[in-house]
Amino acid sequence: MTSAPDIELNPSELDVFYSTYFRYYNTLEKVYRQRFVERCLMFISEKVISGADDFKPDNRVKALVAASAVQLTLGLEVWQLNYFEEIQLHPSNFDNAKGDLKFNGETNLQGYIKLSWKSFIRGYEINDDNMNLGLHEFSHALRFNSIKGHEQDYFVDNYFNKWIACASDAFNDIRNKKETIFRSYGGTNINEFLSVCIEHYFESPEEIKENYPTLYYATGILLNQSLKATKTQIGIRKEFFAAQNAFLPGFHKLETKTSFFKHWSSKLWGFVVAVLVYNMVGGKIVDPITLALFVMAVIIYTWFDYNAANITFDLKTIVFKRGFIFFKNRKTWTIPVSQFVSFRISGEEWIITYYKDSDDFFHEETIYPPNGVNETFLTDCKQNKIAVLR
């Protein structure tokens, strides 16, 4: 590439350029090649890609930097990494802010990314060492893009705690100095592990699948893409959720439902009924205020009855039923345990978050468990890679 003439930044020239110099591009179907090129052009136009230490990036350099960011985010809806407006390229390793260390990459929370061009190119020239500087730093940018209110991909934002739960075994293996497929730098913190894991996922996905299958599927779900031999597939979440479910142990059977007397609406309903009874005792049975209070009490209870949830955890599935008495079982749906994302205890309430692929949305339910099952349920959550939040 060094001796080749510079290129024009248009779809046809980028298509030829990426076909020649960017291996990942050739693993995509035609429709995704078109998306890839469109996103790269947009990335180049929206970012300041500058040089430092006498390095002057031409269009070919800018195209490859953009390609690395788009490779990582091709399966996402929101992919622009808008918080990070500038990418600064150095010819080789550069001093950090304090000047006491040499870096080859930096994703700075002030909104810029620095890359050593030498290390960046090496990451794509050598594709079997599970090290890729571009993917590493752009993974950091993806993680931190929502800083100061910048738009983050909805799925990534809501699924990340689940990914951490699935990554815990591999991350702890590094921290405990056990033999593992991942390089030791991934044990620095969970954000570094994310970047190290993504580097590994794009170069040796089958190795992760063999050693840490739940992490393999979680990473594919997070990025919404998978790599099989010479083909990259986009839009694989439903398939990967189902496959991941096979590696989870499942739950001890537990049925729990929304309790009217513990639900917030019962307090409002109780107040309205108390005032209603007071009016009726005072002989105002047909008074307009009494009738209004009666209607209000009926509406409050009807709202609760219509929206109440009955949830059954049964091995590897979770069954949801909507309705309490008058609307009992008005709506029923089932999800695999792999789509149960997080669990949090708040007083007597259990708050669970899950992903429903039929509407591509994350939902939250508040339930009230039977007495004496908390520890069992907590253990089941941890074994099934559910994020237990405090």
Side-chain angles (χ1 to χ4, degrees):
M1 192 185 82
T2 305
S3 60
D6 202 7
I7 60 172
E8 296 293 326
L9 295 175
N10 59 56
S12 60
E13 289 215 25
L14 279 186
D15 175 59
V16 173
F17 178 75
Y18 288 140
S19 296
T20 306
Y21 294 111
F22 204 72
R23 185 181 297 106
Y24 172 84
Y25 186 72
N26 294 314
T27 70
L28 298 172
E29 296 176 4
K30 184 177 180 180
V31 63
Y32 292 114
R33 290 188 185 190
Q34 182 177 347
R35 177 194 288 185
F36 188 94
V37 168
E38 289 172 353
R39 288 189 175 186
C40 285
L41 285 169
M42 188 179 299
F43 189 91
I44 294 168
S45 69
E46 292 179 351
K47 307 296 182 187
V48 176
I49 303 177
S50 61
D53 300 334
D54 297 325
F55 184 77
K56 296 180 180 179
D58 60 14
N59 287 342
R60 297 171 302 162
V61 169
K62 293 177 181 179
L64 287 175
V65 170
S68 185
V70 172
Q71 174 184 355
L72 173 71
T73 59
L74 191 62
L76 307 183
E77 292 294 323
V78 177
W79 59 274
Q80 293 91 336
L81 308 176
N82 282 335
Y83 179 67
F84 297 91
E85 298 178 343
E86 181 179 1
I87 296 123
Q88 189 179 95
L89 300 170
H90 295 252
S92 58
N93 291 3
F94 51 88
D95 293 331
N96 72 336
K98 296 181 180 179
D100 56 348
L101 291 172
K102 290 286 187 181
F103 283 11
N104 61 15
E106 177 189 0
T107 302
N108 194 290
L109 298 186
Q110 295 301 312
Y112 62 85
I113 298 168
K114 290 185 176 184
L115 299 170
S116 157
W117 179 245
K118 180 180 179 181
S119 298
F120 178 91
I121 283 296
R122 186 189 304 122
Y124 283 103
E125 289 177 339
I126 304 171
N127 67 333
D128 60 358
D129 63 352
N130 303 312
M131 297 178 68
N132 183 297
L133 178 65
L135 291 174
H136 186 101
E137 297 303 329
F138 285 124
S139 295
H140 285 320
L142 177 63
R143 172 73 179 105
F144 294 118
N145 184 62
S146 58
I147 292 172
K148 296 183 181 178
H150 283 71
E151 186 181 10
Q152 177 68 297
D153 182 81
Y154 170 76
F155 191 96
V156 170
D157 197 34
N158 284 274
Y159 187 76
F160 191 71
N161 283 329
K162 172 76 170 185
W163 183 88
I164 291 176
C166 293
S168 60
D169 289 344
F171 180 64
N172 289 331
D173 281 351
I174 300 175
R175 302 275 286 192
N176 295 327
K177 302 189 184 305
K178 293 183 179 179
E179 186 175 346
T180 176
I181 60 173
F182 296 108
R183 57 191 170 103
S184 60
Y185 186 67
T188 305
N189 56 54
I190 196 63
N191 295 317
E192 292 298 347
F193 181 72
L194 169 68
S195 292
V196 166
C197 179
I198 286 176
E199 291 174 274
H200 209 112
Y201 182 76
F202 276 100
E203 292 197 0
S204 306
E206 291 299 319
E207 191 174 32
I208 303 178
K209 184 178 181 180
E210 181 179 348
N211 290 272
Y212 301 100
T214 56
L215 174 59
Y216 164 79
Y217 289 111
T219 305
I221 290 166
L222 184 76
L223 300 178
N224 199 24
Q225 59 176 303
S226 69
L227 298 88
K228 297 178 180 177
T230 58
K231 183 178 181 181
T232 295
Q233 293 181 305
I234 306 295
I236 49 75
R237 283 177 177 148
K238 187 173 183 178
E239 173 193 342
F240 268 40
F241 271 124
Q244 186 189 57
N245 215 51
F247 291 92
L248 300 174
F251 280 81
H252 292 84
K253 188 167 184 178
L254 170 67
E255 183 175 347
T256 185
K257 57 187 177 183
T258 310
S259 167
F260 177 69
F261 294 106
K262 293 181 179 179
H263 194 267
W264 66 266
S265 62
S266 65
K267 297 178 177 63
L268 179 58
W269 184 84
F271 173 77
V272 171
V273 169
V275 177
L276 174 63
V277 170
Y278 177 81
N279 264 28
M280 294 176 67
V281 169
K284 301 176 181 179
I285 298 177
V286 293
D287 182 82
I289 296 178
T290 303
L291 293 175
L293 288 168
F294 177 78
V295 171
M296 191 179 299
V298 170
I299 290 173
I300 293 169
Y301 180 80
T302 301
W303 179 92
F304 167 81
D305 197 300
Y306 188 82
N307 290 285
N310 182 302
I311 306 174
T312 302
F313 300 87
D314 190 5
L315 296 178
K316 295 194 177 187
T317 60
I318 305 174
V319 180
F320 296 83
K321 296 180 180 180
R322 191 70 77 193
F324 192 63
I325 295 177
F326 300 110
F327 294 97
K328 187 175 183 179
N329 299 340
R330 70 172 177 84
K331 188 177 181 181
T332 301
W333 66 96
T334 301
I335 66 166
V337 168
S338 56
Q339 290 175 210
F340 180 4
V341 174
S342 66
F343 164 71
R344 177 164 56 91
I345 297 176
S346 177
E348 294 183 320
E349 299 176 343
W350 288 6
I351 302 168
I352 70 169
T353 302
Y354 63 94
Y355 172 72
K356 194 175 175 185
D357 54 38
S358 61
D359 59 9
D360 193 22
F361 199 79
F362 289 84
H363 298 262
E364 186 174 276
E365 297 281 358
T366 299
I367 57 179
Y368 300 86
N371 293 329
V373 298
N374 293 41
E375 291 304 320
T376 300
F377 191 78
L378 271 173
T379 299
D380 283 350
C381 282
K382 291 175 181 177
Q383 291 179 347
N384 285 280
K385 308 305 178 188
I386 313 301
V388 179
L389 308 178
R390 303 295 182 181

